[in-house]
Amino acid sequence: MIPNDDTIVARATPNGVAAIGIIRLSGVLSLQYIRSCFTFSKAISPNKVYIGYFTDPETGETIDHVCVTYFQNPKSYTGEDSVEVHCHSSSYVIKAILNSFVFLGARLATSGEFSKRAYINGKLSLTQSESVIDLIHSETKLQHQVSLNRVQGKLYTHIQSIRSQLMSLLEQLEGSIDFPDEVPPINRKDAYHIIHSISNELNHILSLQDLGKSISDGVHCLLIGKPNVGKSSIFNALLGENRSIVTETPGTTRDYITERIDYNNVHFHMYDTAGLRDSDDVIEFLGMQKIQSLIKQATIIVWVCDQSTPLTSDDFIVLDHIKHLPNYAIVFNKSDLSSNHVMTIPNAAPIFQLSCSALDSHSISCLKHLIYEHTVSSFQDHDLEFLCNIRQHACLKTLVCLISSLLDRLNVTYHDDMLAIDLRNCINSCSELTGDTITEEVLDGIFSRFCVGK
Ligand code: GDP
């Protein structure tokens, strides 16, 4: 990739009135530009903060009292000469400073251009650059931890070590093809063991990606059940407020209501849905269609039954919608009422079942904790190192498939030349995941997700 020869400028802090606003310059002329508008007379050394007046280079008028720091290449975020101007964050001041730099010849940066330069100049790997955006957007401690791990390059280092193991195999294989007298053929049994352990490792990383989704998007928890079993009451109790209408009349919620709660640093999107049942009512029917699509996307489905009465065919209609899924739980509600019918339900394999009452805060806390336990908390802290974003996840899936077919082929008599091609494909796939080989188009797509100034 060709290094940039122009100097870019952007505000690094958000719009709006604030105590301090930061403007960033990056490129070969950064120092020259700041010298043209800064009243500080002595030499500007790197990594020091200088205080002085910023003046308009065209009119000589004072714009603001500012602090300036110069970062000399390669020791800057972008790897280029960079300058940060800390000014008062009025929109007038920010605009005037940006205009001054543009007047001198700087170009306004596009989204993510600073990070793109950091990547081009080898300051950040692609996985690290991508994680910078997640770090900026992280709202919970867990999201922050995941993106920080990636910024620190833990996933990158891991995939790189897999790549170098594959590379050593390929080197020996190609050596034995080209120089059969000097390089011995690879030991297929040893190669099988290496690829097998890589395959296990990658499959483990792949299996963790649902956790990543739960951390970044939040857990989607769907309450379903026939009408009047207490779904809205449980929904309200989980939220701690009366968000959903609770009545004794069945069928009041026509499609679904969703609200977010935060529990142990994870966002939980709770969905209170219309009762699933056979109905001639067109609106209710449409509502039920929506629920069916929510069922497919849910992280966890909580099927609510009323334990104060025996189950009816309407309950089993609900079970029919979910019994093939691995992610549903059963809640027997209304435990406070006298005649309890908690039962083992034939053909049901829930991840947990709980007898509870929407009227009892203790059982609602238990329910919240069980939902958390079965979606997020079973994972270890170090698992967080391996979480990918969407692009990396897609690359990881391809890599897992390639490694798996390579493993199959090592089992059979497969020509060394063909094996070398497969190995090379796996190596390329690793490089794609880490971003070491990536097209300009994909790069632009990645960096356009950033804000301007990052
Ligand atoms: P939904 O149609 O499944 O959403 O059910 P609702 O939450 O609207 O509740 C239906 C009725 O059951 C209302 O009268 C609630 O007050 C009542 N109810 C809900 N949960 C409980 C519970 O745990 N115990 C008792 N005694 N009544 C409940």
Side-chain angles (χ1 to χ4, degrees), residues 23-218:
I23 287 159
R24 243 178 176 182
L25 272 172
S26 181
V28 276
L29 296 178
S30 299
L31 190 59
Q32 183 183 316
Y33 289 162
I34 191 63
R35 276 191 207 288
S36 313
C37 6
F38 192 43
T39 54
F40 196 83
S41 53
K42 294 181 213 143
I44 297 177
S45 316
N47 308 327
K48 289 193 174 147
V49 181
Y50 296 94
I51 222 168
Y53 286 96
F54 190 99
T55 56
D56 185 322
E58 194 178 3
T59 62
E61 277 173 30
T62 299
I63 294 175
D64 197 11
H65 198 215
V66 299
C67 292
V68 164
T69 307
Y70 162 55
F71 302 97
Q72 192 174 33
N73 83 76
K75 292 185 177 170
S76 71
Y77 177 70
T78 55
E80 303 173 334
D81 274 2
S82 302
V83 164
E84 276 184 17
V85 180
H86 293 223
C87 59
H88 294 99
S89 182
S90 91
S91 53
Y92 172 76
V93 168
I94 299 265
K95 213 186 265 175
I97 294 179
L98 286 174
N99 282 341
S100 301
F101 288 129
V102 171
F103 170 79
L104 291 168
R107 176 171 63 73
L108 288 174
T110 56
S111 306
E113 207 172 352
F114 289 89
S115 298
K116 187 175 175 184
R117 288 187 174 200
Y119 165 70
I120 290 170
N121 294 322
K123 298 295 287 188
L124 291 174
S125 71
L126 194 71
T127 42
Q128 287 172 312
S129 323
E130 285 175 304
S131 309
V132 170
I133 189 166
D134 299 332
L135 191 64
I136 296 169
H137 289 124
S138 57
E139 287 181 28
T140 65
K141 196 175 167 193
L142 266 181
Q143 287 175 351
H144 174 260
Q145 205 175 327
V146 170
S147 29
L148 197 62
N149 275 335
R150 285 201 223 127
V151 173
Q152 289 168 345
K154 293 187 178 167
L155 177 69
Y156 180 85
T157 314
H158 207 77
I159 301 296
Q160 279 292 41
S161 98
I162 289 177
R163 187 181 181 279
S164 54
Q165 289 178 66
L166 296 170
M167 205 61 185
S168 315
L169 273 179
L170 181 66
E171 279 161 14
Q172 198 194 337
L173 187 65
E174 291 200 327
S176 67
I177 296 168
D178 294 341
F179 309 102
D181 296 337
E182 284 130 66
V183 183
I186 59 162
N187 180 325
R188 292 234 174 180
K189 215 170 173 186
D190 292 348
Y192 183 86
H193 283 306
I194 294 169
I195 303 293
H196 190 253
S197 101
I198 290 177
S199 169
N200 285 345
E201 214 172 317
L202 289 173
N203 274 305
H204 173 66
I205 297 178
L206 193 59
S207 73
L208 296 173
Q209 300 312 313
D210 281 347
L211 165 71
K213 200 163 180 297
S214 295
I215 291 172
S216 56
D217 303 352

Side-chain angles (χ1 to χ4, degrees), residues 171-303:
E171 279 161 14
Q172 198 194 337
L173 187 65
E174 291 200 327
S176 67
I177 296 168
D178 294 341
F179 309 102
D181 296 337
E182 284 130 66
V183 183
I186 59 162
N187 180 325
R188 292 234 174 180
K189 215 170 173 186
D190 292 348
Y192 183 86
H193 283 306
I194 294 169
I195 303 293
H196 190 253
S197 101
I198 290 177
S199 169
N200 285 345
E201 214 172 317
L202 289 173
N203 274 305
H204 173 66
I205 297 178
L206 193 59
S207 73
L208 296 173
Q209 300 312 313
D210 281 347
L211 165 71
K213 200 163 180 297
S214 295
I215 291 172
S216 56
D217 303 352
V219 169
H220 293 262
C221 174
L222 200 61
L223 297 173
I224 64 166
K226 73 176 181 190
N228 233 23
V229 290
K231 297 178 297 296
S232 299
S233 305
I234 292 176
F235 177 78
N236 287 336
L238 286 166
L239 253 58
E241 60 177 280
N242 285 338
R243 171 68 180 81
S244 201
I245 300 165
V246 173
T247 75
E248 285 170 15
T249 321
T252 23
T253 310
R254 292 304 183 98
D255 51 4
Y256 67 92
I257 295 171
T258 176
E259 283 289 334
R260 193 182 95 185
I261 53 173
D262 291 346
Y263 183 68
N264 286 347
N265 291 308
V266 180
H267 294 325
F268 287 84
H269 304 278
M270 309 300 303
Y271 295 78
D272 178 21
T273 61
L276 273 170
R277 60 173 178 181
D278 273 340
S279 168
D280 297 334
D281 182 317
V282 177
I283 301 176
E284 226 179 308
F285 175 74
L286 290 173
M288 282 189 258
Q289 278 193 322
K290 268 194 189 166
I291 297 167
Q292 278 161 8
S293 88
L294 286 178
I295 287 176
K296 288 189 194 131
Q297 293 156 27
T299 322
I300 181 166
I301 300 153
V302 175
W303 172 30

